[in-house]
């Protein structure tokens, strides 16, 4: 390993044989020196900005969604909140702080993450590698599925990749991957085979005994698949080439409609947060004269809400909402 500035760069692998993208992503993100599991460093927040990091309004909205689930479950003695792809536990920390004390006292908070538990994390948060089985409550996955490794295909063949990012054509796509392409991404050209994401999400949903499962991510649906794919990298807050050497995040948007199970609802983040009380509307100007400090606070909150719901930005993220043994959300 070596460092270039603040970036950790793995040593090159001599004469590395190109492999399929799913294998390369798994090693680059979650291998012994993988981007997400390497000890130290700032975690995902140091490389890209998610809704969780943009504003505490996001955690507040998730807290209100958990309160809805709590009511649907009859306010049980133990209420599970499972954060899949928890980063450094920022969302769980924010939600626990936003909940009424009585509800927070009943919550079992689970951070599902392959990296090590960060120092100083709230002791109420359990740190686990897999979602707990039989949970009753809310399972929430913010920008997790886009980092589930997947295969890349081009003109009906798997794409192979070397550690330096050089691509070459591989064998013909066959079996379950071919069936997935025919169903969800037909046609020639470049495609991202989301079958592994479908399976990962189905497994997460199955872990819930009762409650609501929500996935939030960059996404696309049938009829609007990107013709050249979306595979890219992020490092230090900048978009970079997708090089699977462990030096950067490697990510691709999610075919969210393929992940959806029976009864699931797809919403934009703008729609979902609006239903949860997050609005970018400016406060009334009259408040500036009657309560100047309150006006400034409300104005700042409106600015944060506007970022979370912006067209062309975070507001265009997709929310996949999957009920498990409860009435669907949104109500009505």
């Amino acid at each position: 390993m070596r460092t270039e500035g603040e970036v950790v760069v793995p040593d090159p692998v001599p004469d590395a044989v190109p492999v399929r993208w799913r294998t390369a992503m798994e090693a680059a993100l979650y291998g012994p020196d993988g981007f997400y599991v390497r000890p130290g460093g700032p975690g995902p927040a140091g490389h890209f900005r998610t809704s969780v990091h943009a504003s505490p309004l996001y955690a507040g909205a998730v807290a209100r969604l958990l309160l809805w689930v709590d009511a649907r479950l009859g306010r049980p003695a133990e209420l599970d909140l499972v954060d899949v792809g928890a980063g450094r536990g920022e969302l769980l920390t924010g939600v626990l702080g936003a909940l009424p004390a009585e509800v927070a006292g009943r919550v079992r908070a689970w951070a599902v993450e392959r990296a090590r538990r960060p120092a100083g994390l709230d002791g109420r948060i359990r740190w686990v590698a897999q979602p707990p089985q039989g949970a009753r409550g809310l399972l929430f996955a913010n920008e997790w599925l886009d980092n589930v490794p997947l295969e890349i295909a081009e003109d009906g063949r798997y794409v192979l990749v070397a550690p330096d990012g050089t691509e070459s054509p591989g064998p013909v796509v066959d079996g379950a991957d071919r069936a997935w392409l025919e169903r969800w991404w037909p046609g020639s050209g470049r495609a991202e085979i989301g079958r592994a994401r479908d399976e990962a999400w189905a497994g997460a949903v199955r872990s819930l005994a009762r409650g609501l499962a929500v996935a939030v991510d960059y996404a696309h649906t049938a009829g609007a698949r990107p013709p050249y794919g979306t595979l890219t990298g992020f490092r230090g807050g900048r978009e970079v080439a997708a090089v699977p050497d462990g030096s950067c995040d490697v990510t691709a948007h999610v075919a969210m409609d393929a992940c959806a199970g029976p009864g699931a609802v797809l919403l934009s983040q703008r729609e979902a947060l609006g239903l949860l009380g997050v609005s970018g509307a400016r406060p009334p100007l009259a408040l500036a004269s009657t309560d100047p400090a309150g006006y400034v606070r409300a104005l700042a909150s409106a600015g944060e809400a506007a970022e979370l719901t912006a067209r062309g930005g975070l507001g265009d993220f997709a929310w996949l909402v999957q009920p498990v043994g409860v009435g669907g959300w949104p109500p009505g």
Side-chain angles (χ1 to χ4, degrees):
M1 304 287 287
R2 68 186 190 281
T3 59
E4 296 178 0
E6 296 182 353
V7 177
V8 178
V9 181
D11 294 327
V13 179
D15 302 320
V17 176
V19 297
R20 282 159 41 172
W21 261 107
R22 184 175 179 183
T23 299
M25 284 183 67
E26 178 67 29
L29 298 180
Y30 307 112
D33 292 318
F35 181 78
Y36 279 112
V37 300
R38 189 179 300 124
H47 296 279
F48 47 86
R49 182 177 174 85
T50 74
S51 298
V52 175
H53 310 121
S55 171
L57 294 176
Y58 193 74
V62 176
R64 288 189 287 277
L65 185 58
L66 180 61
L67 291 175
W68 181 88
V69 174
D70 185 39
R72 286 292 176 132
L73 296 179
R75 297 180 173 82
E78 291 184 326
L79 176 66
D80 290 302
L81 173 59
V82 183
D83 183 6
V84 184
R88 296 297 184 267
E90 299 96 333
L91 179 61
L92 287 174
T93 300
V95 173
L96 288 171
L99 288 169
E102 183 277 326
V103 179
R106 293 188 284 112
V107 168
R108 295 193 300 179
W110 305 86
V112 183
E113 183 56 70
R114 295 171 72 171
R116 296 178 185 176
R117 182 188 182 98
L121 186 66
D122 190 322
R124 293 174 293 176
I125 297 174
R126 299 160 169 84
W127 197 263
V128 295
Q130 299 291 335
Q133 296 300 307
R136 295 176 180 270
L138 174 63
L139 182 145
F140 203 86
N142 184 74
E143 294 196 47
W144 167 57
L145 287 174
D146 67 298
N147 285 127
V148 172
L150 81 173
E151 301 287 10
I152 307 295
E154 192 160 348
D155 296 329
R157 292 183 173 274
Y158 290 109
V159 176
L160 307 182
V161 63
D164 66 358
T166 302
E167 293 185 342
S168 56
V172 173
V173 176
D174 58 7
D177 285 342
R178 180 176 178 178
W180 191 94
L181 279 179
E182 291 173 348
R183 170 66 179 86
W184 295 107
W185 202 320
S188 60
R190 191 173 174 97
E192 294 154 359
I193 305 174
R195 184 172 64 86
R197 278 112 179 253
D198 300 356
E199 294 172 352
W201 180 242
V205 172
R206 282 196 302 270
S207 74
L208 271 181
R210 193 162 175 244
L212 205 63
V214 180
V216 183
D217 234 308
Y218 300 97
H220 46 70
T221 56
R225 304 288 189 219
Y228 304 107
T230 61
L231 187 72
T232 191
F234 285 94
R235 182 196 301 128
R238 296 180 181 275
E239 188 170 8
V240 298
V243 178
D245 63 358
S247 68
C248 66
D249 179 29
V250 180
T251 178
H253 295 195
V254 182
M256 199 72 92
D257 49 343
C259 295
V265 177
L266 272 174
L267 304 163
S268 70
Q269 176 155 296
R270 182 169 45 258
E271 295 169 320
L273 291 184
L275 291 166
L276 291 167
V278 177
S279 169
R282 292 172 63 91
L285 191 58
L287 185 63
S289 56
T290 60
D291 182 4
Y295 177 77
V296 171
R297 289 193 299 270
L299 196 62
S301 179
E304 293 175 4
E307 180 182 4
L308 290 172
T309 59
R311 296 183 185 277
L314 295 174
D316 290 343
F317 273 42
W319 281 45
L320 172 60
V321 182
Q322 182 74 60
V324 179
V326 298
W329 189 91

